[in-house]
Amino acid sequence: MVRVTEFKLEPTGKERGLQCDLLTQDVVPTPQRNKIVDLTTPWYYGNLVCVIPVPDETANINSVIKPFQWPVWLLIGVSIVVVIAVLNLLQRYLEYRSAFEMDFKTSNKPRAEKWRTGNQYLYVFGNLLSQGGFCPSKWLPYRLVAGVWILAAFIFVQAYTSTLITYVVTPINQPLINSVYDIAGSSDINLLVRETGSLNTLLSTNNFTGLFATLRKKLDAVPNSRCVSPSECIRLMTPGSRNVFVDAKAFVLDEIRKDYKKTGKCNFQIAKESFISATASFALPKNSPYTPVISRGLLELMQIGLIDHWDTWFRPMPPQCNGKPPNGNKTKKLSPLSLKNLTGAFLVLLVGLSLSILVFLIEKINSVSKCRRSRKVNGLQRD
């Protein structure tokens, strides 16, 4: 039934394989195996999980824009445009009415103050950036619009600053995937499976559609995507690679533990969401008289929790490298902030300084050109 030189349970070719009375291994129940052997009650119940390399820290650039979702940012942009447009229209109407009243009453002094459009931009953005602004107009409708904008800017600023710190201190190491659906939805992620594993058996013996069909195409498109042993698959997952290994959690924890003992670092972790459930049984010859006895004994072992105790006894996972995703329930030691956490703020500061320098250069060029034109005009008048 089993060949010693291979990792396959079924004999290949005409060879019958090694004859035995009991195979104590993780035999995955399949219809093909049920035809040639007796399978006991499953002694292992678990899930298929995705193993990914531990991600490196990246610059936290998006922390500045994360406090608001994109509809809120869009609303703020539209509000800025609308407020500036309304203030401009009110100011023009005020100037037009004052000029009309001046002509009508033949007065030498207009009632409305001249206020350039640039001052309105400074007023709107100044309140939004908590810098304030001067509103010289005393007309009531104008001041009502300005007051509404002050209140809205206050709410925006308080809501933004109260949630900004949360995203600044958020961990900046994003995992490669969160579930198996990310593998199917990304074209640059490669799938690795064990050749005799549950997932490869499921994909190779069934013509599924949807998610399973996409996973089967990924396996067939990449060479060496089916490994003989879990250790071989783990060796293909180098740091920075886009490979994901899917197998039963017991095999995955063994490989994470061995790699930690070898390197002293946690190079791998398990994705947040697991996949389908998996079971493992013992195998006996067909119509063996020992099958009911062993099945009953396995049930008793599981009921008293001895199998789970053996699992934690023979596979003691180091607490600092237990394979769990970083967003587990256990509290973590807070690390001090670094420049990577504040990259977004410095980026915004750099953009603001660049725009300020650009505006300063434009003003200097305009002032120099105005001086030259005034000198030319004065020279022509003298001539």
Side-chain angles (χ1 to χ4, degrees):
M1 186 174 63
V2 177
R3 293 187 62 186
V4 180
T5 57
E6 293 184 4
F7 285 86
K8 297 181 179 180
L9 298 179
E10 294 83 1
T12 58
K14 297 181 179 180
E15 300 180 5
R16 296 187 59 187
L18 178 66
Q19 300 296 315
C20 62
D21 294 326
L22 176 63
L23 179 62
T24 55
Q25 194 180 339
D26 55 317
V27 182
V28 179
T30 60
Q32 292 78 10
R33 291 171 182 171
N34 282 325
K35 294 178 181 180
I36 58 176
V37 295
D38 279 351
L39 297 176
T40 63
T41 298
W43 60 269
Y44 171 79
Y45 293 89
N47 297 322
L48 298 182
V49 295
C50 303
V51 188
I52 56 177
V54 174
D56 297 329
E57 289 190 353
T58 56
N60 198 7
I61 299 177
N62 296 329
S63 62
V64 179
I65 63 174
K66 280 185 176 180
F68 289 153
Q69 296 181 356
W70 69 266
V72 180
W73 287 114
L74 181 61
L75 176 63
I76 293 175
V78 173
S79 301
I80 292 173
V81 175
V82 170
V83 171
I84 292 177
V86 171
L87 290 178
N88 278 327
L89 291 176
L90 289 175
Q91 183 65 25
R92 289 185 180 183
Y93 173 74
L94 177 61
E95 293 177 355
Y96 173 77
R97 197 186 70 170
S98 299
F100 178 77
E101 291 178 353
M102 181 185 65
D103 295 338
F104 181 76
K105 296 182 179 181
T106 64
S107 176
N108 296 325
K109 182 179 180 181
R111 295 185 180 181
E113 299 86 355
K114 293 289 184 181
W115 193 17
R116 293 177 299 176
T117 306
N119 293 332
Q120 298 173 10
Y121 286 103
L122 293 177
Y123 177 78
V124 172
F125 284 101
N127 283 283
L128 192 61
L129 299 176
S130 300
Q131 301 299 317
F134 177 66
C135 181
S137 179
K138 298 180 180 179
W139 198 34
L140 181 59
Y142 197 100
R143 285 182 171 261
L144 282 177
V145 176
V148 170
W149 174 246
I150 291 174
L151 179 61
F154 175 78
I155 296 174
F156 286 143
V157 170
Q158 294 300 319
Y160 178 81
T161 54
S162 61
T163 55
L164 176 62
I165 186 64
T166 303
Y167 291 96
V168 169
V169 299
T170 299
I172 51 181
N173 45 354
Q174 299 296 330
L176 181 61
I177 63 168
N178 290 318
S179 66
V180 71
Y181 296 97
D182 296 334
I183 303 176
S186 302
S187 59
D188 59 338
I189 294 180
N190 302 322
L191 176 62
L192 303 177
V193 297
R194 186 162 49 94
E195 189 175 357
T196 58
S198 303
L199 184 58
N200 186 41
T201 304
L202 181 65
L203 297 178
S204 302
T205 57
N206 296 277
N207 294 323
F208 290 116
T209 58
L211 175 63
F212 293 98
T214 304
L215 296 178
R216 184 170 60 247
K217 290 180 182 179
K218 277 186 170 290
L219 284 175
D220 298 335
V222 179
N224 301 326
S225 60
R226 294 175 173 88
C227 311
V228 177
S229 63
S231 300
E232 182 180 343
C233 291
I234 289 294
R235 283 195 295 269
L236 298 177
M237 298 178 60
T238 56
S241 65
R242 309 287 292 180
N243 297 331
V244 178
F245 176 44
V246 179
D247 206 344
K249 189 175 183 179
F251 291 104
V252 167
L253 293 178
D254 282 338
E255 296 304 323
I256 293 177
R257 181 169 172 265
K258 288 191 295 184
D259 181 78
Y260 178 78
K261 285 186 174 182
K262 181 179 179 181
T263 62
K265 299 187 300 182
C266 295
N267 297 317
F268 305 101
Q269 69 181 36
I270 299 175
K272 182 179 179 181
E273 299 180 11
S274 59
F275 196 26
I276 57 178
S277 300
T279 59
S281 304
F282 292 158
L284 295 91
K286 199 67 177 175
N287 300 321
S288 173
Y290 303 106
T291 303
V293 179
I294 295 177
S295 296
R296 185 168 58 251
L298 290 174
L299 285 175
E300 293 177 356
L301 291 176
M302 286 188 293
Q303 287 176 354
I304 63 177
L306 193 57
I307 292 182
D308 295 334
H309 176 68
W310 284 343
D311 183 70
T312 58
W313 186 14
F314 289 102
R315 190 192 295 114
M317 296 296 296
Q320 63 272 30
C321 189
N322 53 13
K324 294 182 179 180
N327 56 349
N329 295 327
K330 293 185 178 181
T331 58
K332 291 189 174 183
K333 183 179 179 181
L334 297 177
S335 58
L337 294 179
S338 61
L339 290 178
K340 289 184 178 180
N341 297 97
L342 304 175
T343 305
F346 282 106
L347 182 61
V348 173
L349 180 62
L350 179 61
V351 173
L353 290 176
S354 302
L355 292 176
S356 301
I357 294 174
L358 180 61
V359 173
F360 174 75
L361 293 177
I362 293 175
E363 290 180 350
K364 281 293 183 182
I365 294 173
N366 289 334
S367 62
V368 171
S369 61
K370 288 180 180 179
C371 290
R372 290 181 179 178
R373 280 182 290 190
S374 62
R375 289 177 182 176
K376 290 182 180 179
V377 173
N378 293 332
L380 293 175
Q381 291 177 354
R382 292 177 181 176
D383 294 339

PDB file of all heavy atoms in Angstrom, residues 210-239:
ATOM      1  N   GLY A 210     -15.329  28.383 -10.316  1.00  0.00           N
ATOM      2  CA  GLY A 210     -15.211  29.479  -9.374  1.00  0.00           C
ATOM      3  C   GLY A 210     -13.833  29.536  -8.740  1.00  0.00           C
ATOM      4  O   GLY A 210     -12.797  29.513  -9.416  1.00  0.00           O
ATOM      5  N   LEU A 211     -13.799  29.614  -7.398  1.00  0.00           N
ATOM      6  CA  LEU A 211     -12.543  29.770  -6.671  1.00  0.00           C
ATOM      7  C   LEU A 211     -11.600  28.601  -6.899  1.00  0.00           C
ATOM      8  O   LEU A 211     -10.404  28.791  -7.145  1.00  0.00           O
ATOM      9  CB  LEU A 211     -12.841  29.925  -5.177  1.00  0.00           C
ATOM     10  CG  LEU A 211     -11.622  29.983  -4.247  1.00  0.00           C
ATOM     11  CD1 LEU A 211     -10.763  31.200  -4.545  1.00  0.00           C
ATOM     12  CD2 LEU A 211     -12.064  29.971  -2.790  1.00  0.00           C
ATOM     13  N   PHE A 212     -12.124  27.366  -6.847  1.00  0.00           N
ATOM     14  CA  PHE A 212     -11.264  26.202  -7.002  1.00  0.00           C
ATOM     15  C   PHE A 212     -10.692  26.113  -8.418  1.00  0.00           C
ATOM     16  O   PHE A 212      -9.550  25.679  -8.596  1.00  0.00           O
ATOM     17  CB  PHE A 212     -12.043  24.929  -6.665  1.00  0.00           C
ATOM     18  CG  PHE A 212     -12.422  24.833  -5.222  1.00  0.00           C
ATOM     19  CD1 PHE A 212     -13.692  25.195  -4.792  1.00  0.00           C
ATOM     20  CD2 PHE A 212     -11.512  24.382  -4.278  1.00  0.00           C
ATOM     21  CE1 PHE A 212     -14.037  25.102  -3.455  1.00  0.00           C
ATOM     22  CE2 PHE A 212     -11.848  24.286  -2.945  1.00  0.00           C
ATOM     23  CZ  PHE A 212     -13.112  24.648  -2.529  1.00  0.00           C
ATOM     24  N   ALA A 213     -11.467  26.512  -9.404  1.00  0.00           N
ATOM     25  CA  ALA A 213     -10.938  26.511 -10.775  1.00  0.00           C
ATOM     26  C   ALA A 213      -9.805  27.525 -10.929  1.00  0.00           C
ATOM     27  O   ALA A 213      -8.798  27.254 -11.600  1.00  0.00           O
ATOM     28  CB  ALA A 213     -12.064  26.818 -11.768  1.00  0.00           C
ATOM     29  N   THR A 214      -9.940  28.688 -10.290  1.00  0.00           N
ATOM     30  CA  THR A 214      -8.872  29.692 -10.347  1.00  0.00           C
ATOM     31  C   THR A 214      -7.612  29.193  -9.653  1.00  0.00           C
ATOM     32  O   THR A 214      -6.489  29.382 -10.155  1.00  0.00           O
ATOM     33  CB  THR A 214      -9.354  30.990  -9.692  1.00  0.00           C
ATOM     34  OG1 THR A 214     -10.565  31.418 -10.326  1.00  0.00           O
ATOM     35  CG2 THR A 214      -8.305  32.077  -9.828  1.00  0.00           C
ATOM     36  N   LEU A 215      -7.761  28.533  -8.509  1.00  0.00           N
ATOM     37  CA  LEU A 215      -6.599  27.992  -7.805  1.00  0.00           C
ATOM     38  C   LEU A 215      -5.931  26.888  -8.622  1.00  0.00           C
ATOM     39  O   LEU A 215      -4.695  26.779  -8.638  1.00  0.00           O
ATOM     40  CB  LEU A 215      -7.018  27.456  -6.441  1.00  0.00           C
ATOM     41  CG  LEU A 215      -7.559  28.491  -5.446  1.00  0.00           C
ATOM     42  CD1 LEU A 215      -7.985  27.809  -4.152  1.00  0.00           C
ATOM     43  CD2 LEU A 215      -6.520  29.567  -5.164  1.00  0.00           C
ATOM     44  N   ARG A 216      -6.717  26.054  -9.293  1.00  0.00           N
ATOM     45  CA  ARG A 216      -6.140  24.996 -10.118  1.00  0.00           C
ATOM     46  C   ARG A 216      -5.357  25.580 -11.293  1.00  0.00           C
ATOM     47  O   ARG A 216      -4.281  25.085 -11.656  1.00  0.00           O
ATOM     48  CB  ARG A 216      -7.252  24.066 -10.622  1.00  0.00           C
ATOM     49  CG  ARG A 216      -6.724  22.869 -11.414  1.00  0.00           C
ATOM     50  CD  ARG A 216      -7.828  21.857 -11.684  1.00  0.00           C
ATOM     51  NE  ARG A 216      -8.920  22.444 -12.456  1.00  0.00           N
ATOM     52  CZ  ARG A 216     -10.144  22.632 -11.959  1.00  0.00           C
ATOM     53  NH1 ARG A 216     -10.407  22.298 -10.707  1.00  0.00           N
ATOM     54  NH2 ARG A 216     -11.099  23.156 -12.698  1.00  0.00           N
ATOM     55  N   LYS A 217      -5.852  26.662 -11.888  1.00  0.00           N
ATOM     56  CA  LYS A 217      -5.117  27.309 -12.979  1.00  0.00           C
ATOM     57  C   LYS A 217      -3.806  27.909 -12.487  1.00  0.00           C
ATOM     58  O   LYS A 217      -2.794  27.869 -13.193  1.00  0.00           O
ATOM     59  CB  LYS A 217      -5.996  28.396 -13.610  1.00  0.00           C
ATOM     60  CG  LYS A 217      -7.176  27.859 -14.393  1.00  0.00           C
ATOM     61  CD  LYS A 217      -8.009  28.988 -14.987  1.00  0.00           C
ATOM     62  CE  LYS A 217      -9.207  28.454 -15.736  1.00  0.00           C
ATOM     63  NZ  LYS A 217     -10.056  29.561 -16.299  1.00  0.00           N
ATOM     64  N   LYS A 218      -3.819  28.456 -11.275  1.00  0.00           N
ATOM     65  CA  LYS A 218      -2.579  28.995 -10.724  1.00  0.00           C
ATOM     66  C   LYS A 218      -1.544  27.908 -10.501  1.00  0.00           C
ATOM     67  O   LYS A 218      -0.348  28.094 -10.742  1.00  0.00           O
ATOM     68  CB  LYS A 218      -2.867  29.740  -9.415  1.00  0.00           C
ATOM     69  CG  LYS A 218      -3.353  31.174  -9.609  1.00  0.00           C
ATOM     70  CD  LYS A 218      -3.470  31.883  -8.276  1.00  0.00           C
ATOM     71  CE  LYS A 218      -3.709  33.372  -8.500  1.00  0.00           C
ATOM     72  NZ  LYS A 218      -2.514  34.047  -9.032  1.00  0.00           N
ATOM     73  N   LEU A 219      -1.984  26.755 -10.030  1.00  0.00           N
ATOM     74  CA  LEU A 219      -1.054  25.650  -9.826  1.00  0.00           C
ATOM     75  C   LEU A 219      -0.474  25.149 -11.140  1.00  0.00           C
ATOM     76  O   LEU A 219       0.723  24.844 -11.237  1.00  0.00           O
ATOM     77  CB  LEU A 219      -1.759  24.506  -9.098  1.00  0.00           C
ATOM     78  CG  LEU A 219      -2.001  24.673  -7.596  1.00  0.00           C
ATOM     79  CD1 LEU A 219      -2.813  23.508  -7.060  1.00  0.00           C
ATOM     80  CD2 LEU A 219      -0.686  24.794  -6.859  1.00  0.00           C
ATOM     81  N   ASP A 220      -1.312  25.045 -12.157  1.00  0.00           N
ATOM     82  CA  ASP A 220      -0.842  24.529 -13.446  1.00  0.00           C
ATOM     83  C   ASP A 220       0.026  25.535 -14.194  1.00  0.00           C
ATOM     84  O   ASP A 220       0.851  25.139 -15.025  1.00  0.00           O
ATOM     85  CB  ASP A 220      -2.045  24.145 -14.320  1.00  0.00           C
ATOM     86  CG  ASP A 220      -2.872  23.033 -13.698  1.00  0.00           C
ATOM     87  OD1 ASP A 220      -2.300  22.261 -12.891  1.00  0.00           O
ATOM     88  OD2 ASP A 220      -4.074  22.935 -14.008  1.00  0.00           O
ATOM     89  N   ALA A 221      -0.126  26.827 -13.901  1.00  0.00           N
ATOM     90  CA  ALA A 221       0.613  27.841 -14.652  1.00  0.00           C
ATOM     91  C   ALA A 221       2.043  28.004 -14.172  1.00  0.00           C
ATOM     92  O   ALA A 221       2.899  28.475 -14.925  1.00  0.00           O
ATOM     93  CB  ALA A 221      -0.118  29.189 -14.575  1.00  0.00           C
ATOM     94  N   VAL A 222       2.332  27.642 -12.928  1.00  0.00           N
ATOM     95  CA  VAL A 222       3.660  27.858 -12.351  1.00  0.00           C
ATOM     96  C   VAL A 222       4.351  26.519 -12.179  1.00  0.00           C
ATOM     97  O   VAL A 222       3.794  25.608 -11.557  1.00  0.00           O
ATOM     98  CB  VAL A 222       3.564  28.585 -10.992  1.00  0.00           C
ATOM     99  CG1 VAL A 222       4.950  28.784 -10.388  1.00  0.00           C
ATOM    100  CG2 VAL A 222       2.858  29.919 -11.169  1.00  0.00           C
ATOM    101  N   PRO A 223       5.564  26.337 -12.716  1.00  0.00           N
ATOM    102  CA  PRO A 223       6.289  25.080 -12.489  1.00  0.00           C
ATOM    103  C   PRO A 223       6.750  24.957 -11.041  1.00  0.00           C
ATOM    104  O   PRO A 223       6.968  25.948 -10.355  1.00  0.00           O
ATOM    105  CB  PRO A 223       7.483  25.184 -13.458  1.00  0.00           C
ATOM    106  CG  PRO A 223       7.667  26.662 -13.679  1.00  0.00           C
ATOM    107  CD  PRO A 223       6.294  27.264 -13.594  1.00  0.00           C
ATOM    108  N   ASN A 224       6.886  23.721 -10.598  1.00  0.00           N
ATOM    109  CA  ASN A 224       7.334  23.422  -9.230  1.00  0.00           C
ATOM    110  C   ASN A 224       6.394  23.991  -8.168  1.00  0.00           C
ATOM    111  O   ASN A 224       6.816  24.276  -7.051  1.00  0.00           O
ATOM    112  CB  ASN A 224       8.744  23.960  -8.983  1.00  0.00           C
ATOM    113  CG  ASN A 224       9.772  23.373  -9.934  1.00  0.00           C
ATOM    114  OD1 ASN A 224       9.663  22.204 -10.316  1.00  0.00           O
ATOM    115  ND2 ASN A 224      10.747  24.167 -10.324  1.00  0.00           N
ATOM    116  N   SER A 225       5.122  24.151  -8.535  1.00  0.00           N
ATOM    117  CA  SER A 225       4.156  24.632  -7.549  1.00  0.00           C
ATOM    118  C   SER A 225       3.661  23.515  -6.646  1.00  0.00           C
ATOM    119  O   SER A 225       3.090  23.789  -5.590  1.00  0.00           O
ATOM    120  CB  SER A 225       2.969  25.289  -8.253  1.00  0.00           C
ATOM    121  OG  SER A 225       2.317  24.358  -9.101  1.00  0.00           O
ATOM    122  N   ARG A 226       3.887  22.257  -7.037  1.00  0.00           N
ATOM    123  CA  ARG A 226       3.529  21.110  -6.217  1.00  0.00           C
ATOM    124  C   ARG A 226       4.809  20.508  -5.647  1.00  0.00           C
ATOM    125  O   ARG A 226       5.636  19.967  -6.376  1.00  0.00           O
ATOM    126  CB  ARG A 226       2.763  20.081  -7.044  1.00  0.00           C
ATOM    127  CG  ARG A 226       1.397  20.576  -7.529  1.00  0.00           C
ATOM    128  CD  ARG A 226       0.744  19.552  -8.446  1.00  0.00           C
ATOM    129  NE  ARG A 226      -0.616  19.919  -8.799  1.00  0.00           N
ATOM    130  CZ  ARG A 226      -0.936  20.696  -9.835  1.00  0.00           C
ATOM    131  NH1 ARG A 226       0.023  21.188 -10.597  1.00  0.00           N
ATOM    132  NH2 ARG A 226      -2.199  20.980 -10.101  1.00  0.00           N
ATOM    133  N   CYS A 227       4.957  20.606  -4.339  1.00  0.00           N
ATOM    134  CA  CYS A 227       6.176  20.170  -3.663  1.00  0.00           C
ATOM    135  C   CYS A 227       5.969  18.768  -3.087  1.00  0.00           C
ATOM    136  O   CYS A 227       4.856  18.365  -2.762  1.00  0.00           O
ATOM    137  CB  CYS A 227       6.546  21.133  -2.544  1.00  0.00           C
ATOM    138  SG  CYS A 227       6.542  22.868  -3.036  1.00  0.00           S
ATOM    139  N   VAL A 228       7.076  18.049  -2.947  1.00  0.00           N
ATOM    140  CA  VAL A 228       7.001  16.712  -2.380  1.00  0.00           C
ATOM    141  C   VAL A 228       6.741  16.762  -0.881  1.00  0.00           C
ATOM    142  O   VAL A 228       5.962  15.980  -0.345  1.00  0.00           O
ATOM    143  CB  VAL A 228       8.303  15.937  -2.693  1.00  0.00           C
ATOM    144  CG1 VAL A 228       8.273  14.558  -2.044  1.00  0.00           C
ATOM    145  CG2 VAL A 228       8.498  15.810  -4.199  1.00  0.00           C
ATOM    146  N   SER A 229       7.375  17.681  -0.185  1.00  0.00           N
ATOM    147  CA  SER A 229       7.246  17.784   1.269  1.00  0.00           C
ATOM    148  C   SER A 229       7.012  19.238   1.656  1.00  0.00           C
ATOM    149  O   SER A 229       7.310  20.159   0.886  1.00  0.00           O
ATOM    150  CB  SER A 229       8.513  17.263   1.946  1.00  0.00           C
ATOM    151  OG  SER A 229       9.630  18.055   1.594  1.00  0.00           O
ATOM    152  N   PRO A 230       6.494  19.495   2.855  1.00  0.00           N
ATOM    153  CA  PRO A 230       6.324  20.884   3.303  1.00  0.00           C
ATOM    154  C   PRO A 230       7.630  21.661   3.381  1.00  0.00           C
ATOM    155  O   PRO A 230       7.661  22.862   3.116  1.00  0.00           O
ATOM    156  CB  PRO A 230       5.675  20.726   4.684  1.00  0.00           C
ATOM    157  CG  PRO A 230       5.018  19.396   4.652  1.00  0.00           C
ATOM    158  CD  PRO A 230       5.890  18.533   3.796  1.00  0.00           C
ATOM    159  N   SER A 231       8.725  20.983   3.742  1.00  0.00           N
ATOM    160  CA  SER A 231      10.016  21.672   3.830  1.00  0.00           C
ATOM    161  C   SER A 231      10.456  22.202   2.475  1.00  0.00           C
ATOM    162  O   SER A 231      11.043  23.287   2.377  1.00  0.00           O
ATOM    163  CB  SER A 231      11.079  20.721   4.394  1.00  0.00           C
ATOM    164  OG  SER A 231      10.716  20.269   5.685  1.00  0.00           O
ATOM    165  N   GLU A 232      10.151  21.462   1.430  1.00  0.00           N
ATOM    166  CA  GLU A 232      10.514  21.932   0.088  1.00  0.00           C
ATOM    167  C   GLU A 232       9.719  23.169  -0.302  1.00  0.00           C
ATOM    168  O   GLU A 232      10.249  24.096  -0.924  1.00  0.00           O
ATOM    169  CB  GLU A 232      10.280  20.811  -0.926  1.00  0.00           C
ATOM    170  CG  GLU A 232      10.662  21.171  -2.351  1.00  0.00           C
ATOM    171  CD  GLU A 232      10.413  20.033  -3.318  1.00  0.00           C
ATOM    172  OE1 GLU A 232      10.257  18.884  -2.858  1.00  0.00           O
ATOM    173  OE2 GLU A 232      10.367  20.302  -4.537  1.00  0.00           O
ATOM    174  N   CYS A 233       8.448  23.221   0.071  1.00  0.00           N
ATOM    175  CA  CYS A 233       7.638  24.401  -0.226  1.00  0.00           C
ATOM    176  C   CYS A 233       8.128  25.606   0.573  1.00  0.00           C
ATOM    177  O   CYS A 233       8.172  26.727   0.060  1.00  0.00           O
ATOM    178  CB  CYS A 233       6.172  24.131   0.083  1.00  0.00           C
ATOM    179  SG  CYS A 233       5.367  22.948  -1.021  1.00  0.00           S
ATOM    180  N   ILE A 234       8.499  25.376   1.829  1.00  0.00           N
ATOM    181  CA  ILE A 234       8.963  26.481   2.665  1.00  0.00           C
ATOM    182  C   ILE A 234      10.264  27.063   2.123  1.00  0.00           C
ATOM    183  O   ILE A 234      10.496  28.284   2.197  1.00  0.00           O
ATOM    184  CB  ILE A 234       9.123  26.005   4.116  1.00  0.00           C
ATOM    185  CG1 ILE A 234       7.753  25.755   4.746  1.00  0.00           C
ATOM    186  CG2 ILE A 234       9.897  27.022   4.949  1.00  0.00           C
ATOM    187  CD1 ILE A 234       6.905  27.001   4.916  1.00  0.00           C
ATOM    188  N   ARG A 235      11.119  26.230   1.565  1.00  0.00           N
ATOM    189  CA  ARG A 235      12.389  26.729   1.008  1.00  0.00           C
ATOM    190  C   ARG A 235      12.158  27.668  -0.169  1.00  0.00           C
ATOM    191  O   ARG A 235      13.004  28.521  -0.467  1.00  0.00           O
ATOM    192  CB  ARG A 235      13.274  25.563   0.585  1.00  0.00           C
ATOM    193  CG  ARG A 235      13.964  24.869   1.733  1.00  0.00           C
ATOM    194  CD  ARG A 235      15.091  23.993   1.230  1.00  0.00           C
ATOM    195  NE  ARG A 235      14.605  22.890   0.409  1.00  0.00           N
ATOM    196  CZ  ARG A 235      14.284  21.682   0.867  1.00  0.00           C
ATOM    197  NH1 ARG A 235      14.412  21.424   2.172  1.00  0.00           N
ATOM    198  NH2 ARG A 235      13.854  20.743   0.057  1.00  0.00           N
ATOM    199  N   LEU A 236      11.045  27.514  -0.863  1.00  0.00           N
ATOM    200  CA  LEU A 236      10.737  28.389  -2.000  1.00  0.00           C
ATOM    201  C   LEU A 236      10.188  29.745  -1.572  1.00  0.00           C
ATOM    202  O   LEU A 236      10.088  30.654  -2.390  1.00  0.00           O
ATOM    203  CB  LEU A 236       9.730  27.713  -2.928  1.00  0.00           C
ATOM    204  CG  LEU A 236      10.179  26.407  -3.583  1.00  0.00           C
ATOM    205  CD1 LEU A 236       9.053  25.812  -4.414  1.00  0.00           C
ATOM    206  CD2 LEU A 236      11.411  26.637  -4.456  1.00  0.00           C
ATOM    207  N   MET A 237       9.851  29.890  -0.306  1.00  0.00           N
ATOM    208  CA  MET A 237       9.275  31.141   0.184  1.00  0.00           C
ATOM    209  C   MET A 237      10.388  32.005   0.772  1.00  0.00           C
ATOM    210  O   MET A 237      10.547  32.135   1.994  1.00  0.00           O
ATOM    211  CB  MET A 237       8.188  30.862   1.220  1.00  0.00           C
ATOM    212  CG  MET A 237       7.021  30.074   0.657  1.00  0.00           C
ATOM    213  SD  MET A 237       5.781  29.692   1.903  1.00  0.00           S
ATOM    214  CE  MET A 237       5.306  31.322   2.426  1.00  0.00           C
ATOM    215  N   THR A 238      11.162  32.589  -0.093  1.00  0.00           N
ATOM    216  CA  THR A 238      12.252  33.465   0.330  1.00  0.00           C
ATOM    217  C   THR A 238      11.696  34.829   0.743  1.00  0.00           C
ATOM    218  O   THR A 238      10.583  35.206   0.348  1.00  0.00           O
ATOM    219  CB  THR A 238      13.259  33.643  -0.814  1.00  0.00           C
ATOM    220  OG1 THR A 238      12.556  34.140  -1.972  1.00  0.00           O
ATOM    221  CG2 THR A 238      13.914  32.323  -1.162  1.00  0.00           C
ATOM    222  N   PRO A 239      12.442  35.590   1.554  1.00  0.00           N
ATOM    223  CA  PRO A 239      11.967  36.932   1.967  1.00  0.00           C
ATOM    224  C   PRO A 239      11.714  37.828   0.761  1.00  0.00           C
ATOM    225  O   PRO A 239      12.526  37.913  -0.154  1.00  0.00           O
ATOM    226  CB  PRO A 239      13.112  37.456   2.834  1.00  0.00           C
ATOM    227  CG  PRO A 239      13.798  36.227   3.339  1.00  0.00           C
ATOM    228  CD  PRO A 239      13.694  35.219   2.231  1.00  0.00           C
TER     229      PRO A 239
END
